[in-house]
Amino acid sequence: MKEIINTSNAPAAIGPYSQGVKAGNMYFFSGQLGIDPKTGNFVSDTCVEAQCEQVFANIKALLTEAGLDFGDVIKATVFLADMGDFAKVNEIYGKYFTAPFPARSAVAVKTLPKNGLVEIEVIACK
């Protein structure tokens, strides 16, 4: 049986999907962009660091809603509009995770939704 996870402290879904889904002891969270949930706009159109910090604020809001924290994350996928931003995003990413680190993939994509610069999705387990 699945349970939907939803919070107003992260951006609302912009399509036919849920912010998060719990299945058993696994939690699957949709990719988060650097969108401020209060305004519905990117925190910056050009600064990947600002967008990345907001991505993590949105992820934290979803984890908190589910009674989780970053230590419960077992897998992260990072999508970048420009692989040249990898080092900047990796530095911010390192502020939120401590050893033992979750598994991770990072890929550059042609375009992200709403022309975002970074999107991160996570899977957690409790």
Side-chain angles (χ1 to χ4, degrees):
M1 176 173 233
K2 68 181 180 180
E3 174 185 331
I4 302 304
I5 299 163
N6 189 48
T7 179
S8 60
N9 294 321
I14 56 174
Y17 61 89
S18 299
Q19 289 176 316
V21 176
K22 178 185 179 200
N25 66 338
M26 300 291 297
Y27 297 78
F28 302 87
F29 295 99
S30 295
Q32 294 298 304
L33 296 165
I35 294 174
D36 180 331
K38 292 179 182 78
T39 66
N41 297 317
F42 283 108
V43 293
S44 169
D45 289 331
T46 59
C47 181
V48 71
E49 295 95 337
Q51 283 193 20
C52 190
E53 289 287 358
Q54 185 63 51
V55 164
F56 278 105
N58 296 340
I59 291 170
K60 180 178 181 182
L62 289 167
L63 292 170
T64 299
E65 181 68 22
L68 305 168
D69 60 36
F70 285 102
D72 297 311
V73 173
I74 59 171
K75 172 74 167 81
T77 305
V78 179
F79 303 94
L80 298 165
D82 180 352
M83 193 54 85
D85 289 331
F86 179 83
K88 295 173 188 173
V89 170
N90 196 51
E91 184 175 341
I92 294 166
Y93 180 99
K95 294 185 338 186
Y96 291 90
F97 295 105
T98 57
F101 299 106
R104 181 181 77 179
S105 301
V107 296
V109 297
K110 183 177 178 189
T111 308
L112 288 168
K114 294 189 166 194
N115 292 314
L117 303 176
V118 59
E119 179 177 3
I120 301 174
E121 66 178 25
V122 297
I123 299 170
C125 182
K126 189 71 169 179

